[in-house]
């Protein structure tokens, strides 16, 4: 299930998180692309300490994926692919 999370710590307007088998996904929305890039930088200060973390900026949103070592690599790639189409 997806749930809203506190966006302020990501400098975001809104964030939602969800989980799949071995994968945590967080998507945050920002007022514009510049704020999204700034938010990614700020969030990565925390998330880059976690093994398996990757982030992507697309338009005014940021995707964070944290995958356990046993998570299917193809699933992470699919998540990133869907995000790029939004």
């Amino acid at each position: 299930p997806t749930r809203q999370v506190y966006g302020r710590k990501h400098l975001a307007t809104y964030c939602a998180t969800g989980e799949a088998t071995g994968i945590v996904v967080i998507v945050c929305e920002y007022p514009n692309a510049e704020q999204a890039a700034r938010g990614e930088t700020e969030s990565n200060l925390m998330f880059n300490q976690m093994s398996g973390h990757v982030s992507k900026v697309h338009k005014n949103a940021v995707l964070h994926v944290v995958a356990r070592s046993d998570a299917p690599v193809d699933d992470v790639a699919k998540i990133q692919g869907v995000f790029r189409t939004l």
Side-chain angles (χ1 to χ4, degrees):
T2 302
R3 67 182 193 278
Q4 184 174 356
V5 294
Y6 195 53
R8 185 171 289 184
K9 68 181 173 183
H10 300 281
L11 306 178
T13 305
Y14 173 86
C15 293
T17 185
E19 295 182 35
T21 304
I23 302 171
V24 176
V25 177
I26 300 170
V27 177
C28 295
E29 294 181 358
Y30 297 83
N32 55 53
E34 292 79 21
Q35 289 288 4
R38 182 173 173 243
E40 180 192 33
T41 299
E42 188 70 23
S43 295
N44 283 348
L45 293 174
M46 175 181 57
F47 285 130
N48 282 344
Q49 297 176 33
M50 291 187 248
S51 177
H53 170 256
V54 294
S55 65
K56 301 287 180 196
V57 176
H58 180 66
K59 298 180 184 177
N60 68 327
V62 176
L63 169 72
H64 294 279
V65 179
V66 181
R68 289 190 322 226
S69 61
D70 61 344
V73 175
D74 289 345
D75 288 357
V76 173
K78 287 177 191 174
I79 292 167
Q80 291 174 326
V82 168
F83 179 70
R84 285 191 298 267
T85 67
L86 300 177

Coordinates of all heavy atoms in Angstrom, one line a residue:
P1 N 0.8 -1.2 0.0 CA 0.0 0.0 0.0 C 0.9 1.3 0.0 O 1.9 1.3 0.6 CB -0.8 -0.1 1.3 CG -0.1 -1.1 2.1 CD 0.7 -2.0 1.2
T2 N 0.4 2.3 -0.6 CA 1.0 3.6 -0.7 C 0.6 4.5 0.4 O -0.6 4.4 0.8 CB 0.7 4.3 -2.1 OG1 1.1 3.4 -3.1 CG2 1.4 5.6 -2.2
R3 N 1.5 5.3 1.0 CA 1.1 6.2 2.0 C 1.8 7.5 1.9 O 2.9 7.5 1.3 CB 1.2 5.6 3.4 CG 2.7 5.4 3.8 CD 2.7 4.7 5.2 NE 4.1 4.8 5.8 CZ 5.0 4.0 5.5 NH1 4.8 3.0 4.6 NH2 6.2 4.1 6.0
Q4 N 1.2 8.6 2.3 CA 1.8 9.9 2.2 C 2.8 10.0 3.4 O 2.6 9.5 4.5 CB 0.8 11.0 2.4 CG 1.4 12.4 2.2 CD 0.3 13.4 2.2 OE1 -0.9 13.2 2.3 NE2 0.7 14.7 2.2
V5 N 4.0 10.6 3.1 CA 5.0 10.9 4.1 C 5.3 12.3 4.2 O 4.9 13.1 3.3 CB 6.3 10.1 3.8 CG1 6.0 8.6 4.0 CG2 6.9 10.4 2.5
Y6 N 5.9 12.7 5.2 CA 6.2 14.1 5.5 C 7.2 14.7 4.4 O 8.3 14.3 4.4 CB 6.8 14.2 6.9 CG 6.8 15.6 7.5 CD1 5.7 16.4 7.5 CD2 8.0 16.2 8.0 CE1 5.7 17.7 8.0 CE2 8.0 17.4 8.5 CZ 6.8 18.2 8.6 OH 6.9 19.4 9.1
G7 N 6.7 15.5 3.6 CA 7.5 16.1 2.5 C 8.5 17.1 2.9 O 9.5 17.3 2.2
R8 N 8.3 17.8 4.0 CA 9.1 18.9 4.4 C 10.6 18.5 4.6 O 11.5 19.2 4.2 CB 8.6 19.6 5.7 CG 9.4 20.8 6.0 CD 8.8 21.6 7.1 NE 7.6 22.2 6.6 CZ 6.9 23.1 7.3 NH1 7.2 23.3 8.5 NH2 5.8 23.6 6.8
K9 N 10.8 17.3 5.1 CA 12.2 16.8 5.3 C 12.9 16.6 4.0 O 14.1 16.6 3.9 CB 12.3 15.6 6.2 CG 11.7 14.4 5.6 CD 11.8 13.2 6.6 CE 11.1 12.0 6.1 NZ 11.2 10.9 7.1
H10 N 12.1 16.5 2.9 CA 12.7 16.3 1.6 C 12.6 17.7 0.8 O 12.9 17.7 -0.4 CB 12.0 15.3 0.8 CG 12.0 13.9 1.4 ND1 13.1 13.1 1.3 CD2 11.1 13.3 2.2 CE1 12.9 12.0 2.0 NE2 11.7 12.1 2.5
L11 N 12.2 18.7 1.5 CA 12.0 20.1 0.9 C 10.9 20.0 -0.2 O 10.9 20.8 -1.2 CB 13.3 20.6 0.3 CG 14.5 20.7 1.2 CD1 15.7 21.3 0.5 CD2 14.2 21.6 2.5
A12 N 10.0 19.0 -0.1 CA 9.0 18.8 -1.1 C 7.6 19.3 -0.7 O 7.3 19.5 0.4 CB 8.9 17.3 -1.4
T13 N 6.8 19.4 -1.7 CA 5.4 19.8 -1.5 C 4.6 18.6 -1.0 O 3.8 18.6 -0.2 CB 4.8 20.3 -2.9 OG1 5.5 21.3 -3.4 CG2 3.3 20.7 -2.7
Y14 N 5.0 17.4 -1.6 CA 4.3 16.1 -1.3 C 5.2 15.0 -1.5 O 5.9 15.0 -2.5 CB 3.0 16.0 -2.2 CG 2.3 14.7 -2.1 CD1 1.3 14.5 -1.1 CD2 2.6 13.7 -3.0 CE1 0.6 13.3 -1.1 CE2 1.9 12.5 -2.9 CZ 0.9 12.3 -2.0 OH 0.3 11.1 -1.9
C15 N 5.1 14.0 -0.7 CA 5.9 12.7 -0.9 C 4.9 11.5 -0.6 O 4.1 11.6 0.3 CB 7.1 12.6 0.0 SG 8.4 13.8 -0.3
A16 N 5.1 10.5 -1.3 CA 4.4 9.2 -1.1 C 5.4 8.1 -1.1 O 6.4 8.1 -1.8 CB 3.3 9.0 -2.1
T17 N 5.1 7.1 -0.3 CA 6.0 5.9 -0.3 C 5.2 4.6 -0.4 O 4.0 4.6 -0.1 CB 6.8 5.9 1.0 OG1 7.8 4.8 1.0 CG2 6.0 5.7 2.2
G18 N 5.9 3.6 -1.0 CA 5.3 2.3 -1.1 C 6.4 1.3 -1.1 O 7.6 1.6 -1.2
E19 N 6.0 0.0 -0.9 CA 7.0 -1.0 -0.8 C 6.5 -2.2 -1.7 O 5.4 -2.5 -1.8 CB 7.1 -1.5 0.6 CG 7.6 -0.5 1.6 CD 7.8 -1.1 3.0 OE1 8.1 -2.2 3.1 OE2 7.6 -0.3 3.9
A20 N 7.6 -2.8 -2.3 CA 7.4 -4.0 -3.0 C 8.3 -5.0 -2.4 O 9.0 -4.7 -1.4 CB 7.7 -3.8 -4.5
T21 N 8.4 -6.2 -2.9 CA 9.3 -7.2 -2.3 C 10.7 -6.7 -2.3 O 11.3 -6.6 -3.4 CB 9.2 -8.5 -3.1 OG1 7.8 -8.9 -3.1 CG2 10.0 -9.6 -2.4
G22 N 11.3 -6.4 -1.2 CA 12.6 -6.0 -1.1 C 13.0 -4.6 -1.6 O 14.1 -4.2 -1.7
I23 N 11.9 -3.8 -1.9 CA 12.2 -2.5 -2.5 C 11.3 -1.4 -1.8 O 10.1 -1.6 -1.7 CB 11.9 -2.5 -4.0 CG1 12.8 -3.5 -4.7 CG2 12.1 -1.1 -4.6 CD1 12.4 -3.7 -6.2
V24 N 11.9 -0.3 -1.4 CA 11.1 0.8 -0.9 C 11.2 1.9 -2.0 O 12.3 2.2 -2.5 CB 11.7 1.3 0.4 CG1 10.9 2.6 0.9 CG2 11.6 0.2 1.5
V25 N 10.0 2.5 -2.3 CA 10.0 3.5 -3.3 C 9.4 4.8 -2.7 O 8.4 4.7 -2.0 CB 9.1 3.1 -4.5 CG1 8.9 4.2 -5.5 CG2 9.6 1.8 -5.1
I26 N 10.0 5.9 -2.9 CA 9.5 7.2 -2.4 C 9.5 8.1 -3.6 O 10.5 8.3 -4.3 CB 10.4 7.8 -1.3 CG1 10.5 6.9 -0.1 CG2 9.9 9.2 -0.9 CD1 11.5 7.3 0.9
V27 N 8.4 8.8 -3.9 CA 8.3 9.8 -4.9 C 7.9 11.1 -4.3 O 6.9 11.2 -3.5 CB 7.3 9.4 -6.0 CG1 7.1 10.5 -7.0 CG2 7.7 8.1 -6.7
C28 N 8.6 12.2 -4.6 CA 8.3 13.5 -4.0 C 8.1 14.5 -5.2 O 8.8 14.4 -6.2 CB 9.5 14.0 -3.2 SG 9.8 13.0 -1.7
E29 N 7.1 15.3 -4.9 CA 6.8 16.4 -5.9 C 7.2 17.7 -5.4 O 7.1 18.0 -4.2 CB 5.3 16.3 -6.2 CG 4.8 15.1 -6.9 CD 3.3 15.1 -7.2 OE1 2.6 16.1 -6.8 OE2 2.8 14.1 -7.8
Y30 N 7.6 18.6 -6.3 CA 8.1 19.9 -6.0 C 7.4 20.9 -6.9 O 6.9 20.6 -8.0 CB 9.6 19.9 -6.3 CG 10.4 19.0 -5.4 CD1 10.5 17.7 -5.7 CD2 10.9 19.5 -4.2 CE1 11.2 16.8 -4.8 CE2 11.6 18.6 -3.3 CZ 11.7 17.3 -3.7 OH 12.4 16.4 -2.8
P31 N 7.5 22.2 -6.6 CA 6.9 23.2 -7.4 C 7.5 23.4 -8.8 O 6.8 23.7 -9.7 CB 7.1 24.5 -6.6 CG 7.4 24.1 -5.2 CD 8.0 22.8 -5.3
N32 N 8.8 23.0 -9.0 CA 9.4 23.1 -10.3 C 10.6 22.2 -10.3 O 11.0 21.6 -9.3 CB 9.8 24.6 -10.6 CG 10.6 25.2 -9.5 OD1 11.7 24.6 -9.1 ND2 10.2 26.3 -9.0
A33 N 11.3 22.1 -11.5 CA 12.4 21.2 -11.7 C 13.6 21.7 -10.8 O 14.4 20.8 -10.3 CB 12.8 21.2 -13.2
E34 N 13.8 23.0 -10.7 CA 14.9 23.5 -9.9 C 14.8 23.0 -8.4 O 15.8 22.6 -7.8 CB 15.1 25.0 -10.0 CG 15.5 25.5 -11.4 CD 14.3 25.5 -12.4 OE1 13.1 25.5 -11.9 OE2 14.5 25.5 -13.6
Q35 N 13.6 23.1 -7.9 CA 13.4 22.7 -6.5 C 13.5 21.2 -6.4 O 14.0 20.7 -5.4 CB 12.0 23.2 -6.0 CG 11.9 24.6 -5.8 CD 12.7 25.1 -4.6 OE1 13.3 24.3 -3.9 NE2 12.5 26.4 -4.3
A36 N 13.1 20.5 -7.4 CA 13.3 19.0 -7.4 C 14.8 18.6 -7.3 O 15.2 17.8 -6.5 CB 12.7 18.4 -8.6
A37 N 15.6 19.3 -8.1 CA 17.1 19.0 -8.0 C 17.6 19.4 -6.7 O 18.4 18.6 -6.1 CB 17.8 19.8 -9.1
R38 N 17.2 20.5 -6.1 CA 17.6 20.8 -4.7 C 17.2 19.8 -3.7 O 17.9 19.4 -2.8 CB 17.1 22.2 -4.4 CG 17.6 22.7 -3.0 CD 17.2 24.2 -2.8 NE 17.5 24.5 -1.4 CZ 16.6 24.9 -0.6 NH1 15.3 25.0 -0.9 NH2 16.9 25.2 0.7
G39 N 15.9 19.4 -3.9 CA 15.4 18.4 -2.9 C 16.1 17.0 -3.0 O 16.3 16.4 -2.0
E40 N 16.4 16.7 -4.3 CA 17.2 15.4 -4.4 C 18.5 15.5 -3.7 O 18.9 14.6 -3.0 CB 17.4 15.1 -5.9 CG 18.2 13.8 -6.1 CD 18.7 13.6 -7.5 OE1 19.0 14.6 -8.2 OE2 18.8 12.4 -7.9
T41 N 19.2 16.6 -3.9 CA 20.5 16.8 -3.2 C 20.4 16.7 -1.7 O 21.1 16.0 -1.0 CB 21.1 18.2 -3.6 OG1 21.3 18.2 -5.0 CG2 22.4 18.4 -2.9
E42 N 19.4 17.4 -1.2 CA 19.1 17.4 0.3 C 18.8 16.0 0.8 O 19.3 15.5 1.8 CB 18.0 18.3 0.6 CG 17.8 18.6 2.1 CD 18.9 19.3 2.8 OE1 19.6 20.1 2.1 OE2 19.1 19.2 4.0
S43 N 17.9 15.3 0.1 CA 17.5 13.9 0.5 C 18.6 12.9 0.4 O 18.7 12.0 1.2 CB 16.3 13.5 -0.3 OG 15.2 14.2 -0.1
N44 N 19.5 13.1 -0.6 CA 20.6 12.2 -0.8 C 21.6 12.3 0.3 O 22.4 11.3 0.5 CB 21.2 12.4 -2.2 CG 20.4 11.8 -3.3 OD1 19.5 11.0 -3.1 ND2 20.8 12.2 -4.5
L45 N 21.6 13.4 1.0 CA 22.5 13.4 2.2 C 22.2 12.3 3.2 O 23.1 11.7 3.8 CB 22.4 14.8 2.9 CG 22.9 16.0 2.1 CD1 22.6 17.3 2.9 CD2 24.4 15.9 1.9
M46 N 20.9 12.0 3.3 CA 20.5 10.9 4.2 C 20.5 9.5 3.4 O 21.0 8.6 3.9 CB 19.1 11.2 4.7 CG 18.5 10.1 5.5 SD 16.8 10.4 6.1 CE 15.9 10.8 4.6
F47 N 19.8 9.5 2.3 CA 19.6 8.2 1.6 C 20.9 7.6 1.0 O 20.9 6.4 0.9 CB 18.6 8.4 0.4 CG 17.2 8.6 0.9 CD1 16.4 9.6 0.4 CD2 16.6 7.7 1.8 CE1 15.1 9.7 0.8 CE2 15.3 7.8 2.2 CZ 14.5 8.8 1.7
N48 N 21.8 8.4 0.6 CA 23.1 7.8 0.1 C 23.9 7.0 1.1 O 24.8 6.3 0.7 CB 23.9 8.9 -0.6 CG 23.4 9.3 -1.9 OD1 22.6 8.6 -2.5 ND2 23.9 10.4 -2.4
Q49 N 23.5 7.1 2.4 CA 24.1 6.3 3.4 C 23.6 4.9 3.4 O 24.1 4.0 4.0 CB 23.9 6.9 4.8 CG 24.6 8.3 4.9 CD 24.3 8.9 6.2 OE1 24.2 8.3 7.2 NE2 24.2 10.3 6.2
M50 N 22.5 4.7 2.7 CA 21.9 3.3 2.6 C 22.3 2.6 1.4 O 22.3 3.1 0.3 CB 20.3 3.5 2.6 CG 19.7 4.0 3.8 SD 18.0 3.9 3.7 CE 17.6 5.7 3.7
S51 N 22.7 1.3 1.6 CA 23.1 0.5 0.5 C 21.9 0.3 -0.4 O 20.8 0.1 0.1 CB 23.6 -0.8 1.1 OG 23.9 -1.7 0.0
G52 N 22.1 0.3 -1.7 CA 21.0 0.0 -2.6 C 20.2 1.2 -3.0 O 19.1 1.1 -3.7
H53 N 20.6 2.4 -2.6 CA 19.8 3.6 -2.9 C 20.2 4.2 -4.3 O 21.4 4.3 -4.6 CB 20.0 4.7 -1.8 CG 19.4 6.0 -2.2 ND1 20.2 7.0 -2.7 CD2 18.1 6.4 -2.3 CE1 19.4 8.1 -3.0 NE2 18.1 7.7 -2.8
V54 N 19.2 4.5 -5.1 CA 19.4 5.3 -6.3 C 18.3 6.4 -6.3 O 17.2 6.2 -5.8 CB 19.3 4.5 -7.6 CG1 20.5 3.5 -7.6 CG2 18.0 3.7 -7.7
S55 N 18.6 7.5 -6.9 CA 17.6 8.5 -7.1 C 17.6 9.1 -8.5 O 18.6 9.1 -9.2 CB 17.8 9.7 -6.1 OG 19.0 10.3 -6.3
K56 N 16.5 9.6 -9.0 CA 16.3 10.2 -10.3 C 15.4 11.4 -10.2 O 14.4 11.3 -9.5 CB 15.7 9.2 -11.3 CG 16.5 7.9 -11.5 CD 17.7 8.1 -12.3 CE 18.5 6.8 -12.4 NZ 19.8 6.9 -12.8
V57 N 15.8 12.4 -10.9 CA 14.9 13.6 -11.0 C 14.3 13.5 -12.4 O 14.9 13.2 -13.4 CB 15.7 14.9 -10.9 CG1 14.8 16.1 -11.1 CG2 16.4 15.0 -9.6
H58 N 13.0 13.8 -12.4 CA 12.2 13.9 -13.7 C 11.2 15.0 -13.6 O 10.3 15.0 -12.7 CB 11.5 12.6 -14.0 CG 10.8 12.6 -15.3 ND1 11.4 12.7 -16.5 CD2 9.5 12.5 -15.6 CE1 10.5 12.7 -17.5 NE2 9.3 12.6 -16.9
K59 N 11.4 16.1 -14.4 CA 10.6 17.2 -14.3 C 10.5 17.8 -12.9 O 11.6 18.2 -12.4 CB 9.2 16.9 -14.9 CG 9.1 16.5 -16.3 CD 7.7 16.2 -16.8 CE 7.8 15.6 -18.2 NZ 6.4 15.3 -18.6
N60 N 9.4 17.8 -12.3 CA 9.3 18.4 -10.9 C 9.2 17.4 -9.8 O 8.6 17.6 -8.8 CB 8.1 19.4 -10.8 CG 6.8 18.7 -11.0 OD1 6.7 17.7 -11.7 ND2 5.8 19.2 -10.3
A61 N 9.7 16.2 -10.1 CA 9.6 15.1 -9.1 C 10.9 14.3 -9.0 O 11.8 14.4 -9.8 CB 8.5 14.1 -9.6
V62 N 11.0 13.7 -7.8 CA 12.2 12.9 -7.5 C 11.8 11.5 -7.1 O 10.8 11.4 -6.3 CB 13.1 13.5 -6.4 CG1 14.3 12.6 -6.0 CG2 13.5 14.9 -6.8
L63 N 12.4 10.5 -7.7 CA 12.2 9.1 -7.3 C 13.4 8.6 -6.5 O 14.5 8.8 -6.9 CB 12.1 8.3 -8.6 CG 12.1 6.7 -8.4 CD1 10.8 6.3 -7.7 CD2 12.4 6.0 -9.7
H64 N 13.1 8.1 -5.3 CA 14.1 7.4 -4.5 C 13.8 5.9 -4.4 O 12.6 5.6 -4.1 CB 14.2 7.9 -3.1 CG 14.7 9.4 -3.0 ND1 16.0 9.7 -3.1 CD2 14.0 10.5 -2.9 CE1 16.1 11.0 -3.0 NE2 14.9 11.5 -2.9
V65 N 14.7 5.1 -4.7 CA 14.5 3.6 -4.7 C 15.6 3.1 -3.7 O 16.8 3.3 -4.0 CB 14.6 2.9 -6.0 CG1 14.4 1.4 -5.9 CG2 13.5 3.5 -7.0
V66 N 15.2 2.3 -2.7 CA 16.1 1.6 -1.9 C 15.8 0.1 -2.0 O 14.7 -0.3 -1.6 CB 16.0 2.1 -0.4 CG1 17.0 1.4 0.5 CG2 16.2 3.6 -0.3
A67 N 16.8 -0.6 -2.5 CA 16.6 -2.0 -2.8 C 17.5 -2.8 -1.9 O 18.7 -2.5 -1.8 CB 16.8 -2.3 -4.3
R68 N 16.9 -3.9 -1.3 CA 17.8 -4.8 -0.6 C 18.6 -5.6 -1.6 O 18.4 -5.6 -2.8 CB 16.9 -5.8 0.2 CG 16.2 -5.3 1.4 CD 15.6 -6.4 2.2 NE 15.0 -7.5 1.4 CZ 13.8 -8.1 1.6 NH1 13.0 -7.6 2.5 NH2 13.4 -9.0 0.8
S69 N 19.7 -6.2 -1.1 CA 20.6 -6.9 -1.9 C 19.9 -8.1 -2.7 O 20.4 -8.4 -3.7 CB 21.8 -7.4 -1.1 OG 21.4 -8.3 -0.1
D70 N 18.8 -8.6 -2.1 CA 18.2 -9.7 -2.8 C 17.0 -9.3 -3.7 O 16.3 -10.1 -4.2 CB 17.7 -10.7 -1.8 CG 16.7 -10.2 -0.8 OD1 16.5 -8.9 -0.7 OD2 16.0 -11.0 -0.1
A71 N 16.8 -8.0 -3.8 CA 15.7 -7.5 -4.7 C 16.1 -7.7 -6.1 O 17.2 -7.5 -6.5 CB 15.5 -6.0 -4.4
P72 N 15.1 -8.1 -6.9 CA 15.3 -8.3 -8.4 C 15.8 -7.0 -9.1 O 15.1 -6.0 -9.0 CB 14.0 -8.7 -8.9 CG 13.2 -9.2 -7.7 CD 13.7 -8.4 -6.6
V73 N 16.9 -7.0 -9.7 CA 17.5 -5.9 -10.4 C 16.5 -5.4 -11.5 O 16.4 -4.2 -11.7 CB 18.9 -6.2 -11.0 CG1 19.4 -5.0 -11.8 CG2 19.9 -6.6 -9.9
D74 N 15.9 -6.3 -12.2 CA 14.9 -5.9 -13.2 C 13.8 -5.1 -12.6 O 13.2 -4.2 -13.3 CB 14.4 -7.2 -13.9 CG 15.4 -7.8 -14.8 OD1 16.4 -7.2 -15.1 OD2 15.2 -9.0 -15.2
D75 N 13.3 -5.4 -11.4 CA 12.3 -4.6 -10.8 C 12.6 -3.2 -10.6 O 11.8 -2.3 -10.8 CB 11.8 -5.3 -9.5 CG 11.1 -6.6 -9.7 OD1 10.8 -7.0 -10.8 OD2 10.7 -7.2 -8.7
V76 N 13.9 -2.9 -10.1 CA 14.3 -1.6 -9.9 C 14.4 -0.8 -11.3 O 13.9 0.3 -11.4 CB 15.7 -1.5 -9.3 CG1 16.3 -0.1 -9.2 CG2 15.7 -2.1 -7.9
A77 N 14.8 -1.5 -12.3 CA 14.9 -0.9 -13.7 C 13.5 -0.6 -14.2 O 13.2 0.5 -14.8 CB 15.6 -1.8 -14.6
K78 N 12.5 -1.5 -13.9 CA 11.1 -1.2 -14.3 C 10.5 0.0 -13.6 O 9.8 0.8 -14.2 CB 10.2 -2.5 -14.0 CG 10.5 -3.6 -14.9 CD 9.7 -4.8 -14.5 CE 10.1 -6.0 -15.3 NZ 9.4 -7.2 -14.8
I79 N 10.8 0.1 -12.3 CA 10.3 1.3 -11.5 C 10.9 2.6 -12.1 O 10.1 3.5 -12.3 CB 10.7 1.1 -10.1 CG1 9.9 0.0 -9.4 CG2 10.4 2.4 -9.3 CD1 10.4 -0.5 -8.1
Q80 N 12.2 2.6 -12.4 CA 12.8 3.8 -13.0 C 12.2 4.1 -14.4 O 12.0 5.2 -14.7 CB 14.3 3.6 -13.1 CG 15.0 3.5 -11.7 CD 16.4 3.2 -11.8 OE1 16.9 2.5 -12.6 NE2 17.2 3.8 -10.9
G81 N 11.9 3.0 -15.1 CA 11.4 3.2 -16.5 C 10.0 3.9 -16.4 O 9.7 4.8 -17.2
V82 N 9.2 3.4 -15.5 CA 7.8 3.9 -15.4 C 7.9 5.4 -14.9 O 7.2 6.3 -15.5 CB 7.0 3.1 -14.4 CG1 5.7 3.8 -14.0 CG2 6.7 1.7 -15.0
F83 N 8.8 5.7 -14.0 CA 8.9 7.1 -13.5 C 9.3 8.0 -14.6 O 8.8 9.1 -14.7 CB 10.0 7.1 -12.4 CG 10.3 8.5 -11.8 CD1 9.3 9.1 -11.1 CD2 11.5 9.1 -12.1 CE1 9.6 10.4 -10.5 CE2 11.7 10.4 -11.6 CZ 10.8 11.0 -10.8
R84 N 10.2 7.6 -15.6 CA 10.6 8.5 -16.7 C 9.4 8.8 -17.6 O 9.5 9.7 -18.4 CB 11.7 7.8 -17.4 CG 13.1 7.9 -16.7 CD 14.2 7.5 -17.6 NE 14.1 6.1 -18.0 CZ 14.7 5.1 -17.3 NH1 15.4 5.3 -16.3 NH2 14.6 3.9 -17.8
T85 N 8.4 8.0 -17.6 CA 7.2 8.2 -18.5 C 6.2 9.2 -17.9 O 5.3 9.6 -18.6 CB 6.5 6.9 -18.9 OG1 5.9 6.3 -17.7 CG2 7.5 5.9 -19.5
L86 N 6.3 9.5 -16.7 CA 5.3 10.4 -16.0 C 5.4 11.8 -16.5 O 6.5 12.3 -16.8 CB 5.4 10.3 -14.5 CG 5.3 8.9 -13.9 CD1 5.5 8.9 -12.4 CD2 3.9 8.3 -14.3

